[in-house]
Amino acid sequence: MSRTSIQSVKRLVVKVGTSSLILPNGKINLRAIDQMAFTLTTLNNQGYEVILVSSGAIGAGLHQLGLDKRPTTISRQQAVAAIGQSELIKIYNQRFQYYNQTSAQVLLTRDVVDYPESRKNVINTIQELLEMKVIPIINENDSVAVDELDHLTKFGDNDQLSAIVAHLSDADLLIMLSDIDGFYSANPNTDKNATLYHRITDITDSLEAAAGGEGSRFGTGGMSSKLKAAKRIFARDSQMILANGEEPSIIFDILEGQTIGTLFASSTYTEGD
Ligand code: GLU
């Protein structure tokens, strides 16, 4: 694909995580969902092609059921996700409809995008929705996806899913909204000398060390998984921005070219082109 700087982006994938959609007390963050619907609708009206990858199925399901923690069994978690996904999409649809915007739900499993025939169908569906100016809201189909030995149905996490969706849709930019301002040299919660990287052109061993390895987290968004997603983005020479999703309207500032969060783009991208 050709190298596109931020100002000339046309098709973008926005990924939002559970921590931005569910309040610390477990209730749904209606303000965030409403602001997301407003922001993405405005961008769609301005001529951008917008795809949303949203987590929050399990969080919304826990809220519906009045539970304060995840059930322990996989089957119960999958049932909670089934309850929460429909609740989540109901709220998204309501907010998008308020702005006169049609949205659509697309639930994916890993095997669907790995199998060439069904992969083509996913690509075609996304393409058709975008042509109709409908905003796809994509999540993993948590109610059926499990890790099986000979049949891979899980993406791992929604960071990977969003990078894969950016690939399938040939998006110019992935905006990953998290509960942290970007990628830091060290954990900013514990190290006061931690500095925010504004630009990363390559995933080096020292960055992976700064991410803290598997399972280590700055905030609730795992940094290792952000780097893994960024590697997928670099592999197709595209670009990704990791930024704080507390105010989804930050997407407007990002698309104006303001220096926000961490831009992952190879050195062949020149800023301000
Ligand atoms: N698909 C999960 C959910 O909607 C979230 C997975 C993730 O955020 O990595 O609850």
Side-chain angles (χ1 to χ4, degrees):
M1 72 165 263
S2 63
R3 292 177 178 82
T4 318
S5 72
I6 301 300
Q7 285 97 330
S8 48
V9 163
K10 177 151 171 45
R11 183 172 290 185
L12 73 146
V13 174
V14 173
K15 187 256 166 182
V16 64
T18 301
S19 60
S20 307
L21 300 171
I22 307 290
L23 295 166
N25 65 7
K27 292 193 190 299
I28 313 271
N29 188 343
L30 295 172
R31 179 172 181 266
I33 296 182
D34 184 58
Q35 204 182 107
M36 182 65 84
F38 169 77
T39 304
L40 299 189
T41 300
T42 303
L43 294 173
N44 204 36
N45 290 342
Q46 288 172 340
Y48 288 98
E49 294 175 324
V50 189
I51 299 164
L52 177 62
V53 173
S54 178
S55 306
I58 297 206
L62 293 176
H63 170 63
Q64 277 293 96
L65 295 165
L67 301 174
D68 56 10
K69 57 178 186 320
R70 282 177 181 240
T72 46
T73 62
I74 291 186
S75 55
R76 185 55 70 94
Q77 284 177 23
Q78 293 190 306
V80 170
I83 294 163
Q85 178 65 28
S86 61
E87 176 64 12
L88 184 68
I89 219 75
K90 182 190 87 188
I91 299 171
Y92 269 124
N93 280 342
Q94 281 174 346
R95 297 327 298 158
F96 275 113
Q97 275 163 16
Y98 180 77
Y99 299 110
N100 273 325
Q101 174 63 53
T102 305
S103 52
Q105 171 183 256
V106 180
L107 297 177
L108 297 175
T109 49
R110 183 67 202 241
D111 51 340
V112 168
V113 301
D114 282 349
Y115 186 70
E117 282 304 308
S118 50
R119 180 186 180 91
K120 211 163 84 220
N121 290 333
V122 175
I123 293 171
N124 291 343
T125 301
I126 294 174
Q127 183 60 33
E128 292 284 347
L129 289 169
L130 295 178
E131 276 172 28
M132 291 188 283
K133 297 302 281 174
V134 171
I135 298 182
I137 306 173
I138 302 180
N139 196 1
E140 178 157 7
N141 193 350
D142 294 312
S143 298
V144 300
V146 281
D147 275 325
E148 289 165 307
L149 282 179
D150 55 350
H151 186 59
L152 189 62
T153 62
K154 269 187 98 65
F155 288 99
D157 56 54
N158 273 15
D159 294 335
Q160 307 319 307
L161 172 62
S162 65
I164 289 167
V165 167
H167 186 182
L168 291 173
S169 61
D170 199 20
D172 309 312
L173 174 67
L174 168 61
I175 298 180
M176 205 178 273
L177 298 178
S178 185
D179 55 359
I180 189 160
D181 290 343
F183 193 91
Y184 283 84
S185 58
N187 186 341
N189 297 325
T190 54
D191 186 342
K192 64 175 173 34
N193 294 321
T195 52
L196 177 73
Y197 291 110
H198 288 298
R199 170 128 188 205
I200 289 175
T201 54
D202 196 13
I203 309 297
T204 59
D205 291 349
S206 64
L207 280 183
E208 301 207 86
E214 217 60 56
S216 164
R217 280 157 183 257
F218 303 169
T220 53
M223 282 298 126
S224 303
S225 104
K226 305 288 184 271
L227 285 191
K228 209 167 142 200
K231 274 188 181 171
R232 293 181 187 275
I233 295 293
F234 279 122
R236 49 181 282 272
D237 200 11
S238 188
Q239 51 189 347
M240 164 178 135
I241 288 179
L242 174 63
N244 197 318
E246 205 180 331
E247 300 281 342
S249 59
I250 198 173
I251 299 168
F252 291 131
D253 305 330
I254 291 172
L255 292 172
E256 268 173 20
Q258 291 184 30
T259 305
I260 288 171
T262 303
L263 168 66
F264 294 80
S266 70
S267 48
T268 50
Y269 283 82
T270 42
E271 281 172 79
D273 267 6

